[in-house]
Amino acid sequence: MSTHLMNTYARLPVTFEKGRGAILQDTDGKTYLDALSGIAVCSLGHSHPAISDAICLQSKTLMHTSNLYQIPNQIELANKLIALSEMERVFFCNSGAEANETALKIAKKYGNQQGITQPTVIVMENSFHGRTMATLSATGNPKVHEGFTPLVEGFIRVPFDDIEAVKTLSDNSNIVAILVEPIQGEGGVHIPQAGYLTALRQICDANNWLLMLDEIQTGMGRTGEWFAFQHENIVPDVLTLAKALGNGMPIGACLTKDSASNVLVPGNHGTTFGGNPLACAAGLAVINVLEANHYIPSVASKGDALLKQFKAAFAEQKGVLDVRGKGYMFGIQLDRPCGELVATALEQGLLINVTRGDTVRLLPTFVMNTEQTDELITKLVNIINQFLK
Ligand SMILES: *Cc1c(COP(=O)(O)O)cnc(C)c1O
């Protein structure tokens, strides 16, 4: 193991050599069912041939020119995302944090344009928005803040899924926007009550605030719709994407509509790599594959079925406090810390995640077949029941 890497991750003692679909293989030839997808990135599985081909072909044609010039792939990908989301404009970048930085810059300038000297964004407790200074400041997790003060100013925090708490801020004239995840991912797969986003939309409209949705984890089909806001009849002003947009090729995007679309002008924001021909070729291939194979409706129906199976399996298990999910995003909350389950599952050839200490999080690939799905259920139920014994 290299000692020259910065000490930012406590890595598991496994090295993957290759992957295909829902399966990864380590350097000893042992195979693993991947129920985490590189943290909601490889939704279409590993080494998807259509995506690999698109990357390969584009890399042999043209990889990068900079945003000083026209980039047809970027325009094409923007058009696709606009058609799917009903947004109006796109800024491409390389990661989720950068997409949220873009959103936060839009919010600040939107406020400054109206003469608001302390533009403030409402953010949620238990949220996650990234690791750059502004996005970690927006994040609702004291552990992420620890050691990095002074934080970026201009955030006010309320509990997630609490409309009344947002309403009480209506007379605060510094507020310019709400930044929220439609489902909290890192925070433990918390799904708000139906109508939450609609209520936030109404409050934003009434107060002239921007509704900014962080769909970095929930976007691109993960919850059974292209974007999680499409479960409700609303459209946000700002939408951020990354993770699954490139199926492993780093790419992020910040989408805007209406007044949020006219805030940034040349000189306000930029990126060297963002939206280069290679990354956008991957993004286009991802959308093509998702559309051609009708994966998203199947994520909705298979996700429902899988959730029912997990609920049934743990119905009598008192150590399991809650089983929740939407599409292919699942959280199984236990009555005790369960971080060690990651290593237990790894030993048994299954890749899972534990978030917030006590919640098993699953973000399986959309390409998992029936046998693999059965294997996931059998192994996971067994691992959790053994652990709780
Ligand atoms: C992963 C994630 C981010 C950060 O994305 P990076 O690409 O790691 O910067 C931001 N918001 C949410 C909801 C995420 O899941």
Side-chain angles (χ1 to χ4, degrees):
M1 296 285 158
S2 169
T3 53
H4 293 126
L5 294 176
M6 222 177 266
N7 192 23
T8 51
Y9 280 92
R11 294 173 203 269
L12 291 158
V14 62
T15 307
F16 297 115
E17 203 164 59
K18 53 185 171 187
R20 192 76 181 189
I23 302 296
L24 281 170
Q25 186 179 317
D26 75 9
T27 41
D28 296 327
K30 179 177 167 184
T31 59
Y32 302 78
L33 174 61
D34 187 359
L36 187 59
S37 311
I39 322 181
V41 169
C42 303
S43 293
L44 293 171
H46 299 280
S47 316
H48 192 290
I51 297 162
S52 300
D53 284 351
I55 292 169
C56 193
L57 183 64
Q58 189 62 50
S59 76
K60 291 181 186 174
T61 311
L62 187 65
M63 276 174 62
H64 176 87
T65 55
S66 92
N67 283 298
L68 300 176
Y69 311 105
Q70 306 289 322
I71 302 174
N73 279 0
Q74 201 179 110
I75 296 168
E76 203 184 323
L77 181 56
N79 290 346
K80 282 268 185 191
L81 289 172
I82 292 307
L84 294 168
S85 66
E86 296 179 64
M87 302 298 284
E88 285 169 356
R89 285 180 187 245
V90 188
F91 176 85
F92 288 108
C93 51
N94 313 287
S95 67
E98 282 173 87
N100 282 340
E101 285 279 340
T102 308
L104 292 168
K105 281 181 72 174
I106 289 170
K108 285 232 164 137
K109 194 173 172 212
Y110 174 76
N112 278 298
Q113 281 177 329
Q114 299 167 59
I116 297 169
T117 48
Q118 298 289 324
T120 300
V121 177
I122 299 177
V123 289
M124 305 300 155
E125 287 172 9
N126 198 46
S127 60
F128 183 80
H129 298 296
R131 299 291 199 154
T132 60
M133 277 312 306
T135 60
L136 82 83
S137 302
T139 292
N141 179 350
K143 273 194 196 152
V144 170
H145 295 165
E146 215 173 274
F148 299 107
T149 52
L151 301 180
V152 172
E153 291 174 46
F155 297 104
I156 188 162
R157 204 171 297 286
V158 299
F160 183 63
D161 197 15
D162 185 343
I163 287 298
E164 288 312 310
V166 176
K167 276 190 183 158
T168 60
L169 296 172
S170 291
D171 49 12
N172 181 332
S173 58
N174 286 326
I175 291 171
V176 293
I178 300 175
L179 174 65
V180 61
E181 300 155 87
I183 294 175
Q184 290 188 329
E186 303 303 303
V189 191
H190 289 292
I191 304 164
Q193 59 201 305
Y196 179 59
L197 295 183
T198 307
L200 291 181
R201 176 73 274 176
Q202 283 162 358
I203 297 171
C204 284
D205 289 341
N207 293 284
N208 221 10
W209 300 343
L210 301 176
L211 179 60
M212 311 202 298
L213 296 184
D214 179 345
E215 293 232 28
I216 289 162
Q217 189 159 148
T218 54
M220 304 310 292
R222 174 57 57 185
T223 71
E225 291 280 358
W226 279 94
F227 309 103
F229 71 78
Q230 292 169 333
H231 292 286
E232 296 191 24
N233 196 19
I234 62 134
V235 182
D237 300 294
V238 178
L239 171 69
T240 55
L241 303 173
K243 291 204 163 87
L245 182 52
N247 208 62
M249 174 63 78
I251 180 169
C254 178
L255 288 74
T256 56
K257 80 186 294 279
D258 297 336
S259 47
S261 288
N262 304 317
V263 175
L264 298 180
V265 296
N268 284 163
H269 197 45
T271 166
T272 299
F273 294 129
N276 78 17
L278 185 66
C280 291
L284 281 166
V286 165
I287 292 177
N288 288 339
V289 172
L290 283 169
E291 280 181 330
N293 297 280
H294 308 286
Y295 275 122
I296 298 176
S298 107
V299 163
S301 58
K302 286 162 138 185
D304 273 353
L306 198 45
L307 183 65
K308 283 200 187 95
Q309 283 175 283
F310 282 130
K311 281 191 175 187
F314 293 119
E316 306 293 317
Q317 175 53 268
K318 286 191 177 57
V320 173
L321 298 184
D322 195 21
V323 179
R324 45 188 182 254
K326 190 131 188 151
Y328 266 15
M329 191 170 180
F330 303 96
I332 301 169
Q333 189 173 359
L334 307 193
D335 66 353
R336 65 199 77 171
C338 61
E340 65 195 75
L341 289 182
V342 172
T344 314
L346 185 74
E347 221 164 87
Q348 298 186 29
L350 177 64
L351 304 182
I352 61 166
N353 173 250
V354 169
T355 189
R356 282 288 159 146
D358 63 0
T359 302
V360 174
R361 178 174 52 157
L362 306 175
L363 299 160
T365 65
F366 301 173
V367 301
M368 201 166 54
N369 64 29
T370 313
E371 293 80 61
Q372 290 164 339
T373 307
D374 292 343
E375 180 190 338
L376 167 62
I377 298 167
T378 311
K379 279 191 173 163
L380 190 70
V381 168
N382 182 41
I383 287 164
I384 290 178
N385 283 336
Q386 283 297 319
F387 172 73
L388 291 170
K389 234 182 210 162

